[in-house]
Amino acid sequence: MNSEIAKLKQIINESENIVFFTGAGISVPSGIPDFRSADGLYTNDLRAETIISHSYFMSHPKEFYQFYKDKMVYEDALPNIAHKWIAELEDSGKSKGVITQNIDGLHLMAGSKNVVEIHGTIYKNHCMKCHKSYALKDILKDEISLCDCGGIIKPDVVLYEEALEYKDIVKAISMIEKADTLIIIGTSLSVYPAAGFIDYFNGKHLIVLNKGEIYTNIKDALIINDDIINIVNELHKL
């Protein structure tokens, strides 16, 4: 792996417009379970994909919120060195931003400024009736989160059966099209349409840093199958 880490370091040094595309794997070291690994959310609870759907939220809000608060909200989680490494590369001008599938807000917490949260965030919520905004703390109080107007408060996360925000799609694709290096971290690339964004990459270097299997064919990429914390620690040694 040492030669691969050295190659990664060289590519980063030579790049001027790095864009990161991150998935659940980058937040596992922060104590947030992923979805599809042996210990993942979907593996341990076969109801998960049904419960975190729009139709289930609308028909069973109490059960949805019970699952959501227990399995998907980790308000005490903190950024790890991988999140901080990405933020440092943005501060230095190497990275132009992050596109993340994660809803945990850890990239912003780490200091990254240009972040596209394509699946939304647990930190924003809105009333489906009057559209009033609510913070995370506001929806953790009751079994079903209701607005002052009586409407149900919905987390601003993209559930199954819901479309991604158009503005986020446009921004993500624009970032990837302009990148000279695209670094994919902690995702199996099995969730569409997000995984399809990499098809818009026309830059020089495509890099995949993922501990597990990747569910798509990627040609001419530098692929390092290891824990992201190990990779970042090795980079810091060079």
Side-chain angles (χ1 to χ4, degrees):
M1 188 179 77
N2 289 341
S3 61
E4 294 174 332
I5 296 295
K7 178 64 175 176
L8 174 59
K9 181 74 170 182
Q10 179 184 354
I11 290 172
I12 291 172
N13 289 340
E14 294 174 353
S15 300
E16 297 179 354
N17 188 334
I18 301 172
V19 169
F20 288 89
F21 185 96
T22 68
I26 195 172
S27 295
V28 170
S30 293
I32 301 176
D34 64 5
F35 294 90
R36 291 175 172 81
S37 71
D39 297 319
L41 179 61
Y42 291 169
T43 305
N44 291 327
D45 195 327
L46 299 179
R47 307 169 303 150
E49 289 194 45
T50 297
I51 294 175
I52 53 178
S53 66
H54 178 82
S55 56
Y56 193 90
F57 170 77
M58 296 301 294
S59 60
H60 301 84
K62 179 180 176 180
E63 291 81 0
F64 169 88
Y65 264 116
Q66 183 179 7
F67 181 90
Y68 178 75
K69 294 171 185 178
D70 184 47
K71 302 291 187 181
M72 300 184 71
V73 174
Y74 291 83
E75 58 178 333
D76 295 327
L78 296 173
N80 59 57
I81 62 170
H83 296 104
K84 295 174 182 177
W85 168 63
I86 291 173
E88 289 165 2
L89 286 172
E90 183 178 335
D91 285 341
S92 70
K94 283 284 183 182
S95 171
K96 303 306 179 184
V98 184
I99 302 157
T100 185
Q101 298 176 92
N102 300 336
I103 61 174
D104 52 42
L106 295 183
H107 282 297
L108 289 168
M109 206 181 298
S112 290
K113 300 174 182 65
N114 189 22
V115 181
V116 181
E117 296 172 311
I118 55 176
H119 291 156
T121 173
I122 63 171
Y123 291 100
K124 295 180 181 179
N125 309 270
H126 74 279
C127 172
M128 298 184 71
K129 184 177 180 180
C130 73
H131 306 293
K132 180 179 178 180
S133 296
Y134 285 87
L136 175 61
K137 62 181 178 61
D138 297 322
I139 72 161
L140 298 180
K141 302 173 184 177
D142 305 306
E143 286 186 335
I144 299 177
S145 300
L146 297 177
C147 177
D148 299 333
C149 74
I152 295 178
I153 300 171
K154 180 187 179 296
D156 285 0
V157 299
V158 178
L159 305 177
Y160 284 103
E161 304 167 354
E162 294 180 344
L164 304 184
E165 289 280 347
Y166 178 72
K167 62 179 177 58
D168 292 335
I169 295 174
V170 171
K171 185 173 182 181
I173 291 174
S174 176
M175 288 169 61
I176 290 173
E177 286 179 330
K178 295 174 183 176
D180 58 12
T181 296
L182 178 62
I183 302 180
I184 301 166
I185 301 177
T187 174
S188 60
L189 295 174
S190 60
V191 177
Y192 284 82
F197 288 175
I198 64 171
D199 294 337
Y200 292 90
F201 177 65
N202 296 303
K204 188 175 181 181
H205 300 290
L206 179 60
I207 298 165
V208 180
L209 312 177
N210 191 56
K211 189 175 181 179
E213 184 180 357
I214 300 165
Y215 293 95
T216 188
N217 292 322
I218 298 180
K219 297 179 180 179
D220 303 321
L222 172 62
I223 300 175
I224 304 178
N225 294 119
D226 196 7
D227 186 278
I228 186 58
I229 302 300
N230 293 338
I231 294 172
V232 174
N233 280 331
E234 290 301 314
L235 281 171
H236 285 160
K237 294 177 183 178
L238 298 178

